[in-house]
Amino acid sequence: MTATTVLAAGVALLGSLLFALGAAVQQYEAVRAERPGLTALVRRPRWLLGGVSIAAGGVLHILALSLGPLTIVQPMGVASLLFALPIAAALHGRKPARGELAAAAVVSSGLIGLVLIVPAPTGSPSLSTPDAVILLGVAALVALMLWGAARGRTRRGGPGCSR
C-alpha cells in the first residue's frame, strides 16, 4: 500500500468519525425534541451542529476518494457504525451493551477482511456524463419515493410518529 493510499484511508476514517458524531448528535436531539418535525429541529443548535459534522465528514470522504482508490476508501465508511456505537451510548449516559460490542467486533472483522482481500486497482475509474445523469436521476427518484413513503406513514400515525 502506498503512502497516499494510507493517507486516503486515514482521511476516510476521520470522515467516518465526523459522520458518526453528527448522526449521533442529531438522533439525540431528535429524541429530546418536544415536537416532531424538521422545523422544530432546525431551531436546535446542537442538531444543526450535527448536520455540519455530517457535511464535514462527507467533504473528507470526497477528499479521500481524490487521494486513494475507491476499493480502500469506500469500506472505511462502514467504520462510522463502529464510531457511532460509543458516541451514542455516551450521549444517552450508558455503556454499550454486550450484543452491540459483539456486533461491532463482527463489523470490524468484516471491514478488515474486505480491505485485505480487495485487489489493487488496475486503472483509473471513470464515469461518463450520461451515466452520471442517470445515477443522479435514479438517486433523486429513490429519495422522492422514500420521502413520500415517510410522509404518508407520518400522516397515518405509523410507528415512530408522535401523534
Side-chain angles (χ1 to χ4, degrees), residues 6-23:
V6 172
L7 176 62
V11 170
L13 281 173
L14 181 58
S16 290
L17 174 61
L18 289 175
F19 186 83
L21 177 63

Side-chain angles (χ1 to χ4, degrees), residues 60-97:
L60 286 176
H61 189 79
I62 291 167
L63 174 63
L65 286 169
S66 74
L67 295 170
L70 178 69
T71 55
I72 297 297
V73 172
Q74 196 62 27
M76 296 302 140
V78 173
S80 63
L81 295 171
L82 303 173
F83 293 136
L85 178 65
I87 293 169
L91 284 172
H92 292 283
R94 64 175 183 83
K95 291 182 180 181

Side-chain angles (χ1 to χ4, degrees), residues 11-152:
V11 170
L13 281 173
L14 181 58
S16 290
L17 174 61
L18 289 175
F19 186 83
L21 177 63
V25 167
Q26 283 194 329
Q27 185 272 341
Y28 179 75
E29 287 297 312
V31 167
R32 295 184 60 219
E34 293 174 12
R35 295 180 309 150
L38 185 60
T39 54
L41 291 174
V42 296
R43 293 186 183 112
R44 299 179 75 88
R46 282 191 282 194
W47 188 86
L48 292 171
L49 188 59
V52 169
S53 183
I54 290 170
V59 168
L60 286 176
H61 189 79
I62 291 167
L63 174 63
L65 286 169
S66 74
L67 295 170
L70 178 69
T71 55
I72 297 297
V73 172
Q74 196 62 27
M76 296 302 140
V78 173
S80 63
L81 295 171
L82 303 173
F83 293 136
L85 178 65
I87 293 169
L91 284 172
H92 292 283
R94 64 175 183 83
K95 291 182 180 181
R98 200 175 269 182
E100 293 172 326
L101 294 173
V106 171
V107 169
S108 298
S109 300
L111 177 59
I112 291 167
L114 180 65
V115 171
L116 291 176
I117 65 168
V118 170
T122 56
S124 180
S126 64
L127 182 64
S128 69
T129 302
D131 289 343
V133 169
I134 290 170
L135 178 65
L136 289 173
V138 169
L141 180 64
V142 169
L144 284 172
M145 288 175 16
L146 291 172
W147 175 75
R151 203 166 151 84

